[in-house]
Amino acid sequence: MPTLITEYPQFFTASIKGHYKLLEHDKYKEIIINSLRFLVEDKRIKLFAFVIMTDHIHLIWQMQPLIHPQHVQRDFLKYTAQQIKNDLQKNTPEILKHFETDANDRNYNFWKRRALSIELRTDKVYQQKLDYIHLNPAKAGICKLPEEYKYSSALFYHTGTDNWGFLTHHQD
């Protein structure tokens, strides 16, 4: 029996507070990659596309049946923030000060409060967002061709090679 799809794929964007270029360090990109890998392996999401820029990320993901999107988003952002905080405390506490907050529930805030999440209900909008994700590094001048940028799914869509081991092609 086929699995019941309860959620549309979503275009998800999360930005670092104050557009601080925290994600220019590969070790923080790897925290995001490892968290995405966990979510796929734990069967919470299918990940169709991603790009990790210096101060934001874009994803196209789809929650698996009976998995609530807001819970996944919350857990993903909380886990990655905690891992980044632990590294900053240990290695560069002076940078950590940029992320101090007076919020009741935390001392630091790395991600902007309201991440963007848009359901992708048509193939046309899906393709627009997929292209936008993959063109992001080239438009930012990080690379000439989208598939040259390591922290993106563009190479997967260009060659079929999944260097990450957790991507699903949107046509599958």
Side-chain angles (χ1 to χ4, degrees):
M1 181 171 193
T3 306
L4 178 66
I5 302 300
T6 58
E7 300 288 337
Y8 286 97
Q10 296 177 346
F11 173 74
F12 176 78
T13 298
S15 298
I16 297 294
K17 181 181 161 191
H19 295 287
Y20 193 91
K21 297 193 180 311
L22 186 64
L23 302 177
E24 69 186 348
H25 304 287
D26 286 356
K27 64 182 172 180
Y28 300 137
K29 291 181 186 100
E30 291 295 331
I31 288 170
I32 292 167
I33 292 293
N34 290 335
S35 184
L36 292 171
R37 179 174 287 110
F38 170 79
L39 291 171
V40 170
E41 290 174 356
D42 200 44
K43 300 190 183 334
R44 294 186 199 182
I45 66 166
K46 281 187 180 181
L47 185 65
F48 299 106
F50 75 95
V51 67
I52 305 171
M53 301 297 287
T54 59
D55 65 352
H56 66 281
I57 62 171
H58 297 297
L59 312 171
I60 295 178
W61 59 6
Q62 184 174 25
M63 303 307 132
Q64 292 301 294
L66 307 176
I67 302 294
H68 199 279
Q70 282 77 15
H71 296 172
V72 172
Q73 291 172 21
R74 176 200 63 213
D75 294 349
F76 171 73
L77 295 175
K78 183 177 179 181
Y79 176 80
T80 55
Q82 186 68 35
Q83 296 302 305
I84 292 169
K85 180 189 86 167
N86 290 345
D87 182 79
L88 289 172
Q89 282 176 323
K90 189 184 316 177
N91 297 308
T92 50
E94 65 279 3
I95 293 175
L96 190 57
K97 293 177 183 175
H98 291 285
F99 301 100
E100 288 179 344
T101 184
D102 57 0
N104 292 335
D105 62 340
R106 67 193 69 175
N107 296 325
Y108 304 98
N109 194 25
F110 296 95
W111 299 105
K112 279 188 179 177
R113 273 300 207 193
R114 291 188 177 87
L116 173 68
S117 188
I118 301 169
E119 285 187 339
L120 303 177
R121 294 177 178 240
T122 68
D123 290 338
K124 180 180 177 183
V125 174
Y126 190 103
Q127 191 62 50
Q128 286 173 340
K129 297 303 181 190
L130 184 66
D131 292 342
Y132 178 81
I133 285 172
H134 291 156
L135 291 172
N136 216 254
K139 285 185 176 182
I142 296 171
C143 59
K144 289 188 181 199
L145 300 171
E147 60 272 15
E148 295 172 343
Y149 185 61
K150 178 180 178 181
Y151 290 98
S152 166
S153 54
L155 182 65
F156 173 65
Y157 280 89
H158 187 72
T159 67
T161 304
D162 182 5
N163 290 331
W164 305 106
F166 56 68
L167 292 167
T168 299
H169 197 285
H170 73 94
Q171 294 176 337
D172 290 346

